[in-house]
Amino acid sequence: MKNKVASTFERIFESKPILAFAPGRINLIGEHTDYQEGLVFPAAIEQGIWVAIQKNNSISCQLFSEDYQQEFVFDINSFSPKKGHWANYIMGVASQFQQAGYVLTGFDLVIGGNIPASGLSSSAALSVAVGTALSELFNLKIPKKSIVLYAQKAEHLFAGVKCGIMDPYASAFGVKDRALLLDCRSTTHVDVKADFGDYSLLLVNSKVKHSLADSAYNKRREACEESVRILQPTFQKATTLRDIPSNDLAQVQHILPSPLFPKAKHVITEIERVRLASKALEANDLNHFGELLKASHKSLSDDFEVSCAELDFLANESWKLPGVLGSRMMGGGFGGCTINLISRSSMEQFQSEIYSKYKSQFDIEAEFIPVNISEGARILE
Ligand code: GLA
């Protein structure tokens, strides 16, 4: 894809581009905790988004998407989001840079990617790749963490999803063969060796894309914020659910209205699971690590209610199979992939059983995606 993006750029714009790359991400555990300043445990993958870019001495930005085979043009001094359009992520990041006081002029840009399924954060990869490319193009030397924050804000303002920081952070800071134990309050991480020994990570693509996912996501976030407001008089120092200790759950249940409690409980217990899972991985206790993945799925499905029949089926059926230590839905929910930790010797049997069970239940052909944990965003030579 790198070469394709570069050659398309040269063909359309007749000049040599700067090339940038940013990867998609997986998340080992820690779902819907980032926007409550909790802990998450993501990692960057090999696949991602490539951006070819060059200045064009005008005020016009001319974009071409390899994946959509589509162009889009906007004026660098006057632009606004266009509902549901891929160009929003590019305009959104450009707008964040401008608001921060950086001066941009017109540019030509080609994007293309190879992220194999939904739920692997292609939008964050695109924003981070564009941020990395623009910083290099205009010699702005913007720190990686600021690019992450601009990417997140771009998604809020130009795509309307009030996402947390996990996806752009993992895309920017990914380290080969290591998972990032990211504290979303301090926005700092420690990386932990992701060595699974005789086991491997495998994603199963449910191929479900829920059209209401974005609005449901924002609603879940609001429910958490509402819980914090209600808990605040009792837990006076709490500014997010991160501040509520998991051993105070009984009291929390007493205070919160019944529809809100399970949502808060998910976030509070999930943050605890991330702590335990990172320790289990460091201690090479993969059985415990797998149990925590399973508990995470149950909590996301039963309490946070962001799973769907297909993801529940995939997780439930996976737990029953030999050699499977853990399986859970991954990412925002309502579709996308499950992440599974499976013994290498059981891989083939796992795939054939899940494929046929899923096909007969939903008439969908599940797709299997092996994962290699890789480096974060970078400028390419
Ligand atoms: C999406 C969001 C992230 C995070 C996850 C759920 O991927 O972009 O910020 O909230 O959902 O963990």
Side-chain angles (χ1 to χ4, degrees), residues 25 27 30-35 121 163-167 217 331-332:
R25 63 104 189 87
N27 187 20
E31 233 55 273
H32 289 273
T33 55
D34 59 352
Y35 51 79
S121 292
C163 59
I165 202 177
M166 169 169 73
D167 304 347
Y217 183 92

Side-chain angles (χ1 to χ4, degrees), residues 58-74:
S58 78
I59 54 161
S60 166
C61 298
Q62 314 196 60
L63 318 177
F64 182 78
S65 162
E66 197 66 77
D67 306 335
Y68 292 93
Q69 288 294 303
Q70 206 178 59
E71 5 177 298
F72 186 84
V73 179
F74 70 95

Side-chain angles (χ1 to χ4, degrees), residues 172-210:
F173 285 95
V175 183
K176 189 170 165 44
D177 297 329
R178 302 181 81 88
L180 310 178
L181 177 59
L182 166 61
D183 181 327
C184 300
R185 169 164 280 166
S186 61
T187 60
T188 55
H189 75 270
V190 287
D191 48 79
V192 176
K193 195 165 190 338
D195 180 3
F196 297 106
D198 295 336
Y199 292 81
S200 290
L201 293 173
L202 182 74
L203 305 180
V204 180
N205 183 2
S206 71
K207 296 199 181 153
V208 176
K209 256 190 159 175
H210 196 293

Side-chain angles (χ1 to χ4, degrees), residues 144 163 373:
K144 253 195 217 182
C163 59
I373 295 181

Side-chain angles (χ1 to χ4, degrees), residues 21-145:
F21 170 79
R25 63 104 189 87
I26 54 166
N27 187 20
L28 298 180
I29 190 166
E31 233 55 273
H32 289 273
T33 55
D34 59 352
Y35 51 79
Q36 284 296 307
E37 299 186 326
L39 304 176
V40 292
F41 206 17
I45 57 176
E46 270 175 335
Q47 299 93 331
I49 307 273
W50 284 263
V51 166
I53 195 165
Q54 199 46 268
K55 293 180 197 166
N56 61 16
N57 302 316
S58 78
I59 54 161
S60 166
C61 298
Q62 314 196 60
L63 318 177
F64 182 78
S65 162
E66 197 66 77
D67 306 335
Y68 292 93
Q69 288 294 303
Q70 206 178 59
E71 5 177 298
F72 186 84
V73 179
F74 70 95
D75 177 335
I76 192 69
N77 298 320
S78 153
F79 57 91
S80 51
K82 204 172 167 225
K83 205 172 181 319
H85 203 285
W86 53 266
N88 284 336
Y89 300 96
I90 298 158
M91 294 191 286
V93 172
S95 148
Q96 285 301 307
F97 277 28
Q98 289 175 323
Q99 277 185 35
Y102 297 109
V103 177
L104 307 181
T105 57
F107 53 84
D108 299 329
L109 177 150
V110 174
I111 51 165
N114 65 354
I115 295 181
S118 78
L120 303 179
S121 292
S122 53
S123 57
L126 172 53
S127 304
V128 171
V130 169
T132 306
L134 286 174
S135 176
E136 178 76 11
L137 180 68
F138 293 102
N139 196 23
L140 305 174
K141 305 203 169 14
I142 301 181
K144 253 195 217 182
K145 200 184 278 183

Side-chain angles (χ1 to χ4, degrees), residues 161-348:
V161 184
K162 297 270 281 169
C163 59
I165 202 177
M166 169 169 73
D167 304 347
Y169 194 101
S171 179
F173 285 95
V175 183
K176 189 170 165 44
D177 297 329
R178 302 181 81 88
L180 310 178
L181 177 59
L182 166 61
D183 181 327
C184 300
R185 169 164 280 166
S186 61
T187 60
T188 55
H189 75 270
V190 287
D191 48 79
V192 176
K193 195 165 190 338
D195 180 3
F196 297 106
D198 295 336
Y199 292 81
S200 290
L201 293 173
L202 182 74
L203 305 180
V204 180
N205 183 2
S206 71
K207 296 199 181 153
V208 176
K209 256 190 159 175
H210 196 293
S211 60
L212 295 176
D214 290 354
S215 62
Y217 183 92
N218 291 346
K219 280 207 185 102
R220 293 301 184 282
R221 185 174 175 142
E222 283 159 22
C224 295
E225 286 161 4
E226 176 68 8
S227 294
V228 176
R229 275 193 290 277
I230 298 171
L231 291 168
Q232 233 270 326
T234 311
F235 296 88
Q236 290 188 358
K237 290 197 177 128
T239 55
T240 61
L241 293 174
R242 159 78 179 265
D243 298 313
I244 311 288
S246 55
N247 41 22
D248 286 337
L249 270 180
Q251 202 185 355
V252 171
Q253 179 161 27
H254 194 67
I255 300 169
L256 287 181
S258 51
L260 282 180
F261 174 67
K263 308 278 181 299
K265 178 183 162 208
H266 164 74
V267 177
I268 295 165
T269 56
E270 181 81 350
I271 292 172
E272 194 53 32
R273 280 187 288 273
V274 178
R275 274 198 193 97
L276 296 172
S278 62
K279 285 191 187 135
L281 185 58
E282 271 179 307
N284 218 4
D285 186 351
L286 295 183
N287 283 311
H288 187 208
F289 183 83
E291 285 302 318
L292 292 160
L293 296 196
K294 186 170 174 178
S296 169
H297 182 87
K298 279 192 173 306
S299 179
L300 286 160
S301 179
D302 301 346
D303 291 338
F304 212 64
E305 297 183 280
V306 288
S307 187
C308 58
E310 292 86 348
L311 290 172
D312 282 346
F313 183 87
L314 287 174
N316 285 322
E317 291 304 320
S318 301
W319 297 334
K320 294 180 198 157
L321 294 177
V324 177
L325 289 188
S327 174
R328 66 171 197 87
M329 57 151 280
M330 189 181 75
F334 306 105
C337 299
T338 59
I339 180 166
N340 305 274
L341 186 59
I342 306 167
S343 117
R344 295 218 179 95
S345 56
S346 307
M347 255 330 151
E348 254 175 55

